Amino acid sequence: AATCQSCCCCEEQYPHLNRLHTCLTMTVSHGSAAGLLALLAEPEDKLKAFALQKLNDCVDSQWHTVSSSISAIEALHEDDEFTHRELAALVASKVFYHLGELDDALTYALAAGKLFDIDDPVEYTQTLVARCLDRYFELRVKVVEHKEDVVVDSRLVTIVESMLERCCEQGQFEQAVGVALEARRLDLLERVVTGSSDMGKTLKYALHVCQTLVINREFRQQVLRLLIRLYESTPSPDYVEVCQCLMFLDDAPEVAKILDMLLRGTKDQELLGYQVCFDLVENEMQSFLIKVQESLTALAPKLPVPAAPAAAAEASEEATSMETDALLPAAPEAVACDADLAYTAKLGKVKNILSGKTPVALYLDFLYKHNKADIQILKNIKAAVDARNSVTHSATILTNALMHAGTTVDAFLRENLDWLSRATNWAKFSATAGLGVIHRGHLEQGKTLMGPYLPRSTGTSSPYSEGGALYALGLIYANHGSDISAFLLESLRGTANEVTQHGACLGLGLAALGTEDEVAFEDIKNVLYTDSAVAGEAAGIAMGLLLAGTGSEKAVEMLAYAHDTQHEKIIRGIAVGLALVMYGREEGAEGLVEQMTRDQDPILRYGGMYVIGLAYRGTANNGAVQKLLHFAVSDVSDDVRRAAVLNLGFVLMNVPEQCPRIVALLAESFNPHVRYGAAMAVGMACAGTGIKEAVALLEPMLSDTTDYVRQGAVIAMALVMVQQPEARLEKLRKRLEKSIGNKHEEVMAKMGSIMASGILDAGGRNAAVMLRSRSGYFRRTAIIGLAVFTQYWYWYPLTFFLSLTLQPTALLAVNGDLVLPEVALNVSCKPSQHAYLPALSTEKKEEVSKLPTAVLSTTAKALERARKKGADKDKVLGSHPLVGVAEMETDKPVEEGDAAEAGAKEGEPGTKEAAKESKAKKEEPSSHTVSNPARVVPGQVRHVALMPNSRWQPIKADSPLMGVVVMQDMQPDKPVELVYPTPPPPPPVAAAPPAAAVAATPAAPAPAPTTTAAAEEDEDEPPPPAAFQYTQ
């Protein structure tokens, strides 16, 4: 145009050039796109294309002007005869982008074809690519999860696949895995994993994302099956992760095949098989482990049955008469028989692990030998509370049970038999049940220990003691009840007393947790149909325990009976049982959720909240969170609102850092029930983490005006802070001590403080509330125990379910013989950071403030005269040489460090060195060494490592050093030094205590520890029965 503007002939021959020159002049002079927009009305396609090209260059700054002509640009794109439709679409896309209409912008960007460059790093491109991915993910979710007939634009697919290929080319395989999973494309996931540079690392990341971020249960199972197939295709499969996946798919036969293959392999494969078994046991899926054992038995070789003596003699005579060449073929059979015997020995070890006998025995021995529970704390609580108050009495018994959970140490009960015998009726039931917590895991002698209180054909023992003893057996054998279930079932059938039935139902439900035992279910259902309020409540919970996590159709039958009965206790028991049945079922529980949340009965709506919480436990499902929040603010029943807020803790267990933020406003609600629920939600979601946000939210609630809110806040605080460094616990312990000792404190708040004291020192200060296993998966028994524990609001004996959440904080390194070798470990933190709290030396006495004494005037004059006489005597003796010596000898002694510092200031010789030595004593080393077995709290795991060039190495290289770890001997030629070189003799069983102490312990597997405080003078305590020492 600039060249031709002076040529008249050109203007006459090409008139559009003059108009083009005019439009460009307007654009340059006015800084506006108006001139270019005018060209869009020209009939020439070249002018339109030129205008679109210029508009594309300046649209980022002139979009507000171009937007007025967006219809013209859209018309050009829709014109089939226009040759630059894609360019028009690109310009329209950028205009809509600046207008904030991302969906329209994406539609035109896709229509732009190749002109839309996804590799362009500008903000426009990156934003639309992200929107493209979101759109594609939404459509794929509708197709895969909702089964909707939706057509997915092929251009979306092209962009998504191009992005995924670019991620792989740049080595960003983790991002590519995320894109494939979000897109619900298993083919893309397989392509990414097989094409990655480190297939093992990519598989591990994909498995982690699948377990934590994939919400849909059905699709998650499809991903797990794909990952299993990919794991098995690698040169060295990670069989630990493979078996974990198979467990979630409930494929016990395949797990058995893998274990069988490992046991028949090399020594390292045998050790890996043991580690697989230990990790499976930590997930606490009793029914699955039983199936694995049955499948292993089917795969095991059939050993010949030993012949009878007569037959053996005949065979020997025949053998001597046979020729030598006929004996030769027997050699291979003998070798095969030796191999079968070796395999059988290995299989026996595996079965002992899967049945729980080996890991439970290891933990039991650790808790007993490392017990640091301070009985003085219990004595102070006992002295501070009123023994006539059954609430605080039962809370003290619970605290003792938690403090000694799994330690088998019942010294406090044996030393306070008279105080314990004051428990009557249901308090006696709870006191007897508390023994089950103390002896939890004592699988060998559990029944013998509880024998004096179990139902007997002769005698007239208390039904409360009998019921409590059956309940205690369930707590002892929880999740390992194959040996005790038959006895509990017979006890249930052999009694008609509702109290005994109550304990038998709870015990049987715990022992047969999740096994779907049809016979036990029918017997418990018969108890339910007796329509007894006491027995029926326990029967409803027990039915849920039996069917835990199965999603059984029998839930319909349970719900129907809840509508028929008139007893609120039975309805509540069934409601909780239904929640346990739907544990982890996610979308499969939606039908029951709709029925229960729409019911007119508030108790069933209350149960519906627990169904949502347990069905979506640890998923952070947005739909579940929205439902719970809706009921938390809209339901007319306080119980339902409290349960709705509380169950947010179950749903958000996988993201504990988000729970305090979500319930922060609910914690300030005017409704105390909602505040209580918010406190418990934070306590459950953040249990054992010590998250600062959780502590900050709970601290103001400790001073709430409502007693049960303070109770919930202090229990939640203990759940969060258990096994945290004592420096952080000091303030909380003082608050608990003050609350318990305050005679004017409400009973509910005092009960919470007593319970919190037991939680903080659980398991002899060697156990924590751990909802995940060492592998990172949720422990079913722990979460179910926590859910039933929250029902203590209505029924105090259910508080003992909290013991199911406790897991020893220990590192137990075992070798191929499943015994503990001597292993040294380095801990790269100060010893005091995670040290035990020093024991209280003496019982604290209350300081009584004295009132001022009245002084008479005559007394004051007499004292003044005596003072003057004393002053005169001092003047006479002032020059005596021994006066100063006497004064020096009565001076207060100075501490060593202070004397050294004082001497250093005065410049005395040698005092500077003494000050330095004193200062060095106070300084702690930055690391220290511990030996196997060792106490390793969750916050300490990252600091623990094996010593350099250690003889023992974990068979799974990336295994965290906590729990039971199978170690590989790198120097097998050297003799092995064991922690326990010789097995101790089996422990005897002590005699039962006097009949007066009907709720006391029947036997003590550990000697009573020495105490520094004497027994109370007003109590005539009987001598304790003979003790015996528990040994492994």
Side-chain angles (χ1 to χ4, degrees), residues 830-853:
K830 295 182 178 180
S832 64
Q833 185 172 344
H834 298 284
Y836 292 109
L837 178 70
L840 299 179
S841 58
T842 56
E843 184 176 359
K844 293 186 177 180
K845 299 180 180 179
E846 294 184 0
E847 295 182 0
V848 181
S849 59
K850 296 183 179 180
L851 296 176
T853 306

Side-chain angles (χ1 to χ4, degrees), residues 301 303-304 330-343:
L303 295 179
E333 294 180 4
V335 173
C337 185
D338 291 341
D340 290 344
L341 290 175
Y343 176 86

Side-chain angles (χ1 to χ4, degrees), residues 319-359:
T320 55
S321 62
M322 296 178 66
E323 296 182 358
T324 304
D325 57 353
L327 295 175
L328 295 177
E333 294 180 4
V335 173
C337 185
D338 291 341
D340 290 344
L341 290 175
Y343 176 86
T344 303
K346 299 175 186 177
L347 182 61
K349 295 179 184 178
V350 166
K351 287 187 175 181
N352 284 336
I353 297 173
L354 294 176
S355 64
K357 293 181 180 179
T358 299

Side-chain angles (χ1 to χ4, degrees), residues 42-104:
E42 294 294 327
E44 296 289 338
D45 287 352
K46 292 182 180 180
L47 289 176
K48 297 176 183 177
F50 179 81
L52 289 173
Q53 185 63 45
K54 294 298 181 182
L55 287 173
N56 184 51
D57 295 337
C58 68
V59 68
D60 291 334
S61 60
Q62 300 293 326
W63 61 269
H64 52 281
T65 305
V66 180
S67 62
S68 61
S69 301
I70 188 65
S71 57
I73 300 174
E74 290 179 303
L76 290 176
H77 166 66
E78 296 170 358
D79 187 358
D80 296 335
E81 297 180 357
F82 184 57
T83 57
H84 295 81
R85 296 175 57 199
E86 293 181 350
L87 182 58
L90 183 61
V91 175
S93 173
K94 291 184 177 182
V95 173
F96 280 116
Y97 165 74
H98 287 291
L99 290 173
E101 301 291 340
L102 295 183
D103 289 334
D104 291 335

